[in-house]
Amino acid sequence: MVLIAEDTAPAVVLRQLIAQHPDVRFLALGQTPLWDEPLKAALIPWLRRVGIATGIVIGVHDTDYFAKSHIHSGGDPGFRSLPHNDGSTRNLWSAAGEVSQLFGSETFLTRHDLQSFGVGLKTASMAAGAAPEVLLDQLTEAWGWRGLVSTRSDDITVMALPLSQVGEPLLRQLQDSVESTVELVGPECCRREGRRAGEALTNLCTSYCQTHPDATLSDLFQHILPSLFRQLLGELPDNITVQSTSRLLRFNRQTAAQKRFQFVELFLNPATRPIAEQAYNHALAGSEIYTLDRFGRGAIPFDVVTRLHGRGTLRVTPRVVFVETRNPVAIALTEPVTSVAQLAEVLEHRFGPDVVLTGKAVALISMLAHEFSFVFSEEGSMYVRRTRAMNDQIVNAGIQLRLMPLLRMRYHTWNSLSEATCTLRLPGHLARAFGADSIVAPEFAAGWRDVVQRQRELSRQAAEWRKPVVAMEHLALLQPAEDWDARRSSWLASRAIIAANYRDSLPARAHIKALWQLLHEIDGTISAYQRGRREAVTAARHADPDSGAEVVALVGDLTAANARRADLCRQIRKAQKGIRCWDRAPAVAAARAEQKRIEAQVDLARIQLLQTAMLTIRGMEHTNHRPTAWWFPVVDSSGRWFQEVIRTLELYTEPVVTAG
């Protein structure tokens, strides 16, 4: 359930929020500042306008593992920059290392789309001159998006990943995306300004990597995050604090009393632990997320993270605390751990004061919502619904939770381009969808929703073009330069040749059908003779004097019937051979090959239509909600595009607990 305020004007929503939660603090966490995270800078002017002085904590979520892949060929040893598709990289996951050029996003055509569209990938691959698996990769690839992944055998968290290992491939990936974005901007004066803004970002990253060889990827991200805020706002706000989850959730005897760890207490206190565990497991019903029993006895939905051991599920049993890292750690207890204070003492004694205690996906929001209102984009976080279900069940069991609501930000990214003055060179799929290779920014802003709607309608219609001749009629209107009328004429001529051949062969086919009917009848006769013979043999065994002669007669009849059957089979084979020769006549074979060639071209064209539609629809809608922040200064150095995003920003709150 998402509760959206009737009035989503930022000032109204923020005043309502501060009235209900006077002590509210805002927290914006993201796995990388190279995506949409810095766009939350749009909230800063509105906080000022309504006089909220608490500011905002901006941070890097660095306690997750860096993405991994088992694809080892090419690229740098240990890391690869990969595209995402529904074929060879179907299961790719990348968060801290993803970068998109302008208009790019991790949205793509899927196998399911192809199936529902009724096109044959194997047939289309003939027209494309590629193997089906290669074509699947090409057709379903996310446009303009790359994800950096580790190909190492070990697991490593972002907070512990050395820049000396990941810095160079990450910088190269970023530079490629920036350069590709600059090439989409015109005229030349705008392109120069865009290149300057892009170089400011890449130089900032390069300089930090060179001067901080012992730093981590998390350190780099924390370093550049304020600079991206400055680029967007024209100044560095004085009411932001840069953080990371590895610091926010540092867990030791001194920090254990913080509100953010109160939620952990529910899973340690014997009086509340069964309720909390049941609520957590119930919230995961129907998902692929492991329930606690899948982790072993005593598991709770929190992980311990250290630089030395990595990240592992925490299991608290009466006699031992286990941390299920790759090399599990077992800590013997002198008494059961039933409180956060006791747990902090045990973990600090074993790992030192820098250990991190973080909630698993569904539990993390509940931890931090004790102190902060999470700031999310409209599409941010897929776990909130399950978090709310868990919290509601806990409250319904009589346990009080006072949690801050989420603050959702709804951007109008592409409408806001109305304030920019540049020209945009459109990538292939958008050029086809817009019907132009380039477009001025205000026209793009005014027309993009209509283009998306037209592509949605076109994909719906094209899914119904199952017959090749129907598809070619429509393709001739959509792609006049492709000469679909000529292909349709050739296909119809080929079909006429095949039909004429079939008509000429009808007497021969009728003859074969008659032979099959005779064969069916003789099979019935043979069955009757065999049955009669068995009955006569049985009678002869009982000394029936007439049965012997009957057996002899039936054997003769059966022999004759089998001979007749064999003759019919020979006639059928001969006639079928004649039909095959008829069907394989040079003219007919050529006609069939021409039909098959054209039908392959039709399937490929329909898939390409679907590809254009899905990349346009999903890509434009997704990037409208979650654009890459550094696009703004690169595309529009005046800053007016981002100022319009601020002006048109909508906010709404979303509760993380609704019961009680």
Side-chain angles (χ1 to χ4, degrees):
M1 180 176 77
V2 177
L3 301 182
I4 301 178
E6 292 182 4
D7 190 341
T8 57
V12 174
V13 175
L14 289 173
R15 288 192 181 104
Q16 290 175 346
L17 181 57
I18 201 72
Q20 296 169 6
H21 302 275
D23 57 340
V24 66
R25 298 167 65 198
F26 297 99
L27 173 64
L29 284 178
Q31 291 176 315
T32 172
L34 299 178
W35 186 18
D36 67 320
E37 193 59 30
L39 211 66
K40 293 169 184 174
L43 181 62
I44 301 294
W46 288 106
L47 293 177
R48 289 174 176 169
R49 184 171 300 185
V50 299
I52 296 178
T54 54
I56 181 171
V57 176
I58 59 174
V60 178
H61 183 42
D62 61 354
T63 50
D64 278 350
Y65 286 115
F66 192 78
K68 285 183 63 174
S69 172
H70 298 294
I71 302 174
H72 295 283
S73 58
D76 293 281
F79 293 93
R80 284 202 67 194
S81 179
L82 297 173
H84 200 179
N85 56 51
D86 209 24
S88 61
T89 60
R90 184 179 187 180
N91 297 319
L92 177 70
W93 169 81
S94 179
E98 61 182 311
V99 179
S100 300
Q101 69 181 83
L102 182 64
F103 303 122
S105 73
E106 196 184 8
T107 56
F108 50 78
L109 184 71
T110 67
R111 298 167 189 257
H112 177 73
D113 293 326
L114 295 175
Q115 292 168 355
S116 61
F117 208 61
V119 290
L121 186 64
K122 185 176 292 186
T123 305
S125 67
M126 295 168 51
E133 59 272 16
V134 174
L135 184 62
L136 179 66
D137 279 2
Q138 294 172 351
L139 291 173
T140 64
E141 183 172 309
W143 187 89
W145 182 97
R146 304 289 289 189
L148 192 67
V149 298
S150 169
T151 58
R152 299 164 23 159
S153 60
D154 60 334
D155 300 320
I156 188 167
T157 57
V158 174
M159 62 180 263
L161 182 54
L163 272 182
S164 58
Q165 297 176 13
V166 73
E168 185 177 341
L170 180 68
L171 286 172
R172 186 162 53 250
Q173 180 176 263
L174 175 61
Q175 288 167 346
D176 289 344
S177 291
V178 169
E179 290 171 6
S180 297
T181 296
V182 169
E183 290 304 311
L184 297 178
V185 179
E188 183 57 36
C189 57
C190 294
R191 192 174 298 119
R192 283 197 302 270
E193 291 297 323
R195 185 170 288 108
R196 188 175 296 116
E199 288 175 350
L201 173 60
T202 56
N203 290 341
L204 176 68
C205 295
T206 301
S207 175
Y208 187 85
C209 290
Q210 291 174 346
T211 56
H212 297 79
D214 298 328
T216 66
L217 181 60
S218 176
D219 294 331
L220 170 65
F221 286 167
Q222 291 176 65
H223 176 71
I224 66 175
L225 194 50
S227 297
L228 286 164
F229 269 63
R230 183 189 292 112
Q231 259 193 326
L232 292 170
L233 295 171
E235 61 174 342
L236 183 62
D238 56 8
N239 61 339
I240 66 170
T241 303
V242 181
Q243 267 286 9
S244 65
T245 45
S246 58
R247 283 191 289 156
L248 273 172
L249 298 174
R250 189 166 293 162
F251 186 65
N252 52 48
R253 284 175 291 185
Q254 289 187 331
T255 64
Q258 293 176 317
K259 288 184 179 180
R260 65 199 69 170
F261 296 115
Q262 286 181 2
F263 193 68
V264 184
E265 187 94 17
L266 297 180
F267 291 84
L268 297 175
N269 188 327
T272 57
R273 183 167 180 170
I275 296 171
E277 289 178 346
Q278 183 181 7
Y280 179 83
N281 290 334
H282 178 76
L284 301 185
S287 76
E288 296 181 357
I289 307 173
Y290 281 5
T291 50
L292 294 177
D293 57 289
R294 299 286 296 274
F295 294 102
R297 180 170 174 262
I300 58 177
F302 304 93
D303 289 351
V304 170
V305 191
T306 73
R307 291 184 183 273
L308 179 62
H309 296 86
R311 177 170 176 158
T313 298
L314 183 63
R315 292 199 295 121
V316 181
T317 67
R319 296 185 177 183
V320 184
V321 167
F322 296 94
V323 179
E324 299 294 345
T325 49
R326 180 174 282 251
N327 296 310
V329 178
I331 308 171
L333 301 175
T334 57
E335 61 179 348
V337 168
T338 58
S339 70
V340 167
Q342 288 176 295
L343 181 63
E345 185 171 350
V346 168
L347 293 180
E348 182 176 353
H349 183 265
R350 177 62 179 82
F351 298 111
D354 292 332
V355 66
V356 178
L357 182 64
T358 180
K360 292 184 181 294
V362 172
L364 179 59
I365 291 176
S366 296
M367 286 182 70
L368 291 170
H370 279 80
E371 293 184 51
F372 300 98
S373 176
F374 265 102
V375 181
F376 281 128
S377 65
E378 190 163 33
E379 291 186 0
S381 183
M382 66 184 75
Y383 301 113
V384 174
R385 176 175 62 87
R386 297 188 183 279
T387 297
R388 185 164 43 246
M390 172 185 65
N391 293 338
D392 283 350
Q393 186 162 333
I394 290 173
V395 171
N396 286 332
I399 300 172
Q400 185 177 2
L401 290 177
R402 187 178 184 278
L403 304 177
M404 303 285 183
L406 308 181
L407 182 65
R408 294 282 190 183
M409 301 180 69
R410 177 185 293 144
Y411 310 118
H412 296 280
T413 301
W414 300 123
N415 287 34
S416 298
L417 261 178
S418 59
E419 298 303 306
T421 57
C422 62
T423 299
L424 301 172
R425 294 175 56 195
L426 300 179
H429 64 285
L430 290 182
R432 291 188 292 273
F434 278 80
D437 292 330
S438 63
I439 187 172
V440 294
E443 288 185 13
F444 185 96
W448 77 272
R449 287 194 184 278
D450 288 339
V451 168
V452 167
Q453 184 56 37
R454 286 199 300 271
Q455 289 298 307
R456 183 175 282 112
E457 180 62 19
L458 177 60
S459 65
R460 185 192 65 78
Q461 294 174 357
E464 300 174 356
W465 305 343
R466 301 300 174 101
K467 295 181 179 180
V469 68
V470 173
M472 284 185 280
E473 288 175 357
H474 291 282
L475 289 169
L477 298 174
L478 293 171
Q479 303 171 352
E482 296 297 320
D483 204 10
W484 284 106
D485 283 333
R487 299 185 203 183
R488 180 172 177 270
S489 297
S490 180
W491 187 88
L492 289 171
S494 298
R495 186 175 70 170
I497 292 172
I498 297 168
N501 172 76
Y502 182 79
R503 286 195 301 272
D504 292 343
S505 67
L506 282 177
R509 296 178 191 275
H511 177 59
I512 292 176
K513 185 176 181 180
L515 291 174
W516 276 110
Q517 180 61 34
L518 290 173
L519 183 65
H520 177 70
E521 292 173 0
I522 200 67
D523 281 343
T525 300
I526 290 172
S527 295
Y529 286 160
Q530 289 173 334
R531 187 166 53 253
R533 185 183 62 176
R534 286 194 298 271
E535 291 173 354
V537 169
T538 301
R541 288 176 181 168
H542 291 82
D544 185 343
D546 298 324
S547 59
E550 186 179 354
V551 170
V552 172
L554 285 170
V555 168
D557 292 340
L558 187 58
T559 301
N562 281 324
R564 173 62 174 154
R565 187 183 191 284
D567 182 59
L568 285 172
C569 288
R570 283 192 295 271
Q571 292 183 55
I572 289 173
R573 286 195 295 270
K574 183 178 179 180
Q576 286 176 331
K577 184 177 180 181
I579 290 293
R580 285 196 294 272
C581 291
W582 207 312
D583 288 344
R584 293 171 184 173
V588 176
R592 291 190 191 280
E594 178 67 0
Q595 265 200 330
K596 194 171 184 180
R597 183 184 70 84
I598 294 173
E599 288 170 3
Q601 293 173 345
V602 170
D603 271 358
L604 181 60
R606 290 181 65 223
I607 291 177
Q608 290 171 337
L609 279 179
L610 181 62
Q611 180 192 38
T612 293
M614 293 300 103
L615 287 178
T616 301
I617 296 166
R618 293 170 183 168
M620 292 303 299
E621 291 181 340
H622 180 68
T623 52
N624 186 55
H625 292 302
R626 302 191 74 174
T628 292
W630 57 258
W631 292 350
F632 289 85
V634 171
V635 173
D636 175 44
S637 60
S638 72
R640 287 194 290 269
W641 182 15
F642 187 66
Q643 287 301 313
E644 184 65 7
V645 169
I646 295 174
R647 190 188 72 78
T648 58
L649 176 69
E650 293 181 69
L651 299 178
Y652 60 92
T653 56
E654 181 180 348
V656 292
V657 57
T658 56

